[in-house]
Each structure stands twice: as structure tokens, then as C-alpha cells.
Amino acid sequence: MGRLSLRNPLATPKQIAESPSQRQGMSAKYEASMRSYGCHLIQASGTILCLPQLVMATAQVLLQRFYYLASIQDFPLRGIVLGTLFLACKTEENPQTIRNIINVVDIVVKRDRGYPEVVTDGYDSEYYELKNEMVIGEMQVLRRLAFNVQVELPYGLLANYLRSLELTDQERVPQLAWNYVNDLLRTPVYVCFQPETIACGAIFLAARECRVGLPTSPPWWAVFDANAEDVVQVAKAIRALQARKVPHIMPLSARELKMHGEGVLDEHVAQMRKEMRDKLDAEMKFASQEKNVDEGDGGGKRSQAEHVDDGARPKSRRGARDSTSRDHNRRRHTSSRSRDTRHSSYRPH
């Protein structure tokens, strides 16, 4: 029986050299962009949902692990993004409803593609399709990872290392190192190195950027159980991420993956953008016309009711006594019309 460990499971050199997606024909560069965009969707959606950074980081690490065990072609990005975010909310004891997660991820995708930011109706086919993708994505992540969803993150180690190196009083180093740790979530670094190495790499690059010296006798990284070569590799991964630009139009479903292979994905997104904007404009125009009609009908009814009330109301007590019989006949004549106008002068539609 294997020994239970709370250390992060790391990818093997063979998995790193050739992932399942690359074995099915996807280039390493495009796979890196797909992984980065999936992490972007998780981070942006979690920010809108006001989730702790711990939850968003856990979801991104689970996504990176999953795609070393399965291919993007077999399990498209959108379902795994929904599944890992939903799973991380549960493992980190910050549960969110399925509907909230689906709506927010869908809004982020629409914003990136320039679509109208309209919330998906909870009873249409699009919502149920996204819900099925989420459930399948969560199930596949648990199955492929053998239910090992333990994620150790370097945030606590980073704070302790900065305090030990007396860098907490520096103006830029702590915040810059923290930003690097967050940026590395979009790379496979969390699947290749343990948290102490990641924290040392972020400190190394931040101190170098700010031109702050670090102790070398003994080497500061050795005190924190890190290897010098690995620390440099982490710093290089940060540099490579900064130089890479990820497009905001990426295939999210099996149908869109096929379109990308045929080279028509951008054209499809542009057509969908135009159709959705035209549909929204038509709906807003129709709603505006309905509002104008309702306001016109309501104004006419109110004027008619006021006219009837003024005609039926006596001018004075004396006039009322003198014209009792005349008022009685008038009210009998207008009783039905008064009820229809006075008591239903405004009916909201």
C-alpha cells in the first residue's frame, strides 16, 4: 500500500515532454495558450463571484493537472473550467450554486468575445447544455485525478520567506513576488515544482527586478529546501508568460475545436456577435414601443377618469341639495362607465 502524502503530485518528465493533447496533434504553443485562457476564465469568474484567491488557485492547479492526464480534444476547455471551479469551491469549503458559476463563466466568455452580456435563462437549452458540461467535467476531473484533489499552495511559504529574508519592509518586492505567484497559475509550473521552489522563484525574480541583494552565504534558496536550477526555471517561466499574448477567442467546445481546425472559428464568432447584437437591439426596440403604448393608454384612461370624477362631483353643499334628483339620474346613467374608468385607470402589462 502506498503511503499517503499531502505533497503536490508532480507530472513525470514524459508527461511534460509530450502531453495527451500534443499526442493528438495539438502544438505545444497552442496548448499552452489554451491552458492559460482556461485559467483566465477561472480567475475572472472567481473575481466576479468574490471567491477567495485560495479557491481560484486550487481550481487552476486542478485544470493544469487534468490536462496532463487527458487531452483538450477529448474534454473541451469550457466543461473542465466549469467542473474545476465547482469542485474547488466545494473542497475549499466555499460553495457556490451551479447557476451562479454557469452564469458568471458565460458572461466572462461573452465579454471576451464582444457578445452582449446577457445572462443565460435558467430554463433554456443553452443553460442545460452548460450544466451537463459542468457535471461531466467535475466527474472526469475526479476520475482522472483518482479523487486526489489536495493542492498545496505557496502563499504561506512566500510570506514566511519574505519575513525571514527581511524583505517585508521593501516597497515593491513583496507585492511583485505575490503577483508572480498568481501569474504562474497560468503555466504548468505548479505541476512541475513543489510550492517552496515556486515561492523562491518568485522572490528571486522580484528581488532582481527591484535590484535588491539576497544572502549567498549560505545560499538563501538552500535554506528553504530549493534547488538553484529549479528556481531559475521558475523565473524563466514567469518571463515567458509575460512575453506571450493569449488571444481571447479560443475554442471552448468540441464544435468550436472542429471550427478551429477548419479555420472558421473567428468568422463564426464574428457572425454570432452580429446576430446577438441585432437580436438584442430588436428586443430593446420592441420593449420601448410596448412601454410607449402602455404609457399612452394609461394617460388616456387617467384623463377620462378625472373628467368623469369632475363631472360627477357637486360644486358645493348647497348646489348638491338643490340638484339631488339631477345628480341621481346622472349617476345612474354613468354608473357603469365610472366603474370601468375610475377603478381601472392604469393597468400595468
Side-chain angles (χ1 to χ4, degrees), residues 156-207:
L157 294 174
L158 178 64
N160 291 332
Y161 293 174
L162 289 170
R163 193 177 298 110
S164 301
L165 293 170
E166 298 181 352
L167 296 175
T168 53
D169 294 332
Q170 292 289 331
E171 184 178 355
R172 294 182 55 210
V173 173
Q175 185 61 55
L176 199 57
W178 191 274
N179 293 343
Y180 287 155
V181 167
N182 288 331
D183 292 341
L184 284 169
L185 291 166
R186 303 189 184 192
T187 70
V189 164
Y190 279 79
V191 190
C192 302
F193 302 100
Q194 292 294 348
E196 56 267 16
T197 303
I198 298 173
C200 288
I203 292 174
F204 169 72
L205 187 58

Side-chain angles (χ1 to χ4, degrees), residues 242-258:
Q242 292 173 343
R244 185 173 69 236
K245 294 183 179 180
V246 179
H248 280 183
I249 299 178
M250 305 293 288
L252 300 177
S253 63
R255 179 167 173 260
E256 291 184 353
L257 279 170
K258 184 178 179 180

Side-chain angles (χ1 to χ4, degrees), residues 92-306:
E92 299 302 328
E93 299 181 356
N94 200 307
Q96 296 287 325
T97 63
I98 292 178
R99 183 166 185 173
N100 283 348
I101 294 176
I102 289 176
N103 285 339
V104 170
V105 172
D106 184 56
I107 285 294
V108 173
V109 172
K110 289 177 177 176
R111 181 180 301 171
D112 289 343
R113 296 187 174 188
Y115 295 167
E117 297 180 18
V118 180
V119 178
T120 304
D121 187 4
Y123 300 98
D124 60 5
S125 59
E126 181 183 1
Y127 174 82
Y128 283 105
E129 180 181 352
L130 293 174
K131 184 177 179 181
N132 289 336
E133 289 182 10
M134 171 189 279
V135 174
I136 294 173
E138 181 191 21
M139 179 181 63
Q140 289 297 332
V141 169
L142 289 172
R143 179 173 175 267
R144 299 282 174 164
L145 299 182
F147 285 80
N148 183 5
V149 293
Q150 165 69 23
V151 177
E152 185 181 359
L153 296 168
Y155 295 110
L157 294 174
L158 178 64
N160 291 332
Y161 293 174
L162 289 170
R163 193 177 298 110
S164 301
L165 293 170
E166 298 181 352
L167 296 175
T168 53
D169 294 332
Q170 292 289 331
E171 184 178 355
R172 294 182 55 210
V173 173
Q175 185 61 55
L176 199 57
W178 191 274
N179 293 343
Y180 287 155
V181 167
N182 288 331
D183 292 341
L184 284 169
L185 291 166
R186 303 189 184 192
T187 70
V189 164
Y190 279 79
V191 190
C192 302
F193 302 100
Q194 292 294 348
E196 56 267 16
T197 303
I198 298 173
C200 288
I203 292 174
F204 169 72
L205 187 58
R208 188 171 181 178
E209 286 285 334
C210 300
R211 298 182 180 182
V212 176
L214 296 174
T216 57
S217 181
W220 65 274
W221 58 85
V223 176
F224 301 136
D225 297 328
N227 181 278
E229 295 181 359
D230 293 342
V231 170
V232 173
Q233 289 298 320
V234 172
K236 288 182 178 180
I238 299 173
R239 287 296 195 190
L241 179 65
Q242 292 173 343
R244 185 173 69 236
K245 294 183 179 180
V246 179
H248 280 183
I249 299 178
M250 305 293 288
L252 300 177
S253 63
R255 179 167 173 260
E256 291 184 353
L257 279 170
K258 184 178 179 180
M259 290 180 180
H260 171 73
E262 297 171 352
V264 296
L265 178 59
D266 291 346
E267 181 181 349
H268 168 73
V269 170
Q271 181 181 357
M272 288 293 298
R273 185 188 303 125
K274 182 178 183 304
E275 291 178 358
M276 294 178 69
R277 287 179 177 176
D278 291 344
K279 181 180 178 181
L280 181 62
D281 290 342
E283 291 177 351
M284 293 179 64
K285 183 177 180 181
F286 179 77
S288 177
Q289 292 175 350
E290 286 289 313
K291 182 179 179 181
N292 293 335
V293 171
D294 292 345
E295 290 178 352
D297 292 345
K301 291 180 179 179
R302 282 193 297 269
S303 298
Q304 187 178 4
E306 292 173 358

Side-chain angles (χ1 to χ4, degrees), residues 55-72:
V55 176
M56 296 181 281
T58 300
Q60 293 174 67
V61 173
L62 293 178
L63 181 141
Q64 296 283 359
R65 288 182 189 173
F66 177 80
Y67 281 126
Y68 277 113
L69 300 171
S71 68
I72 297 176

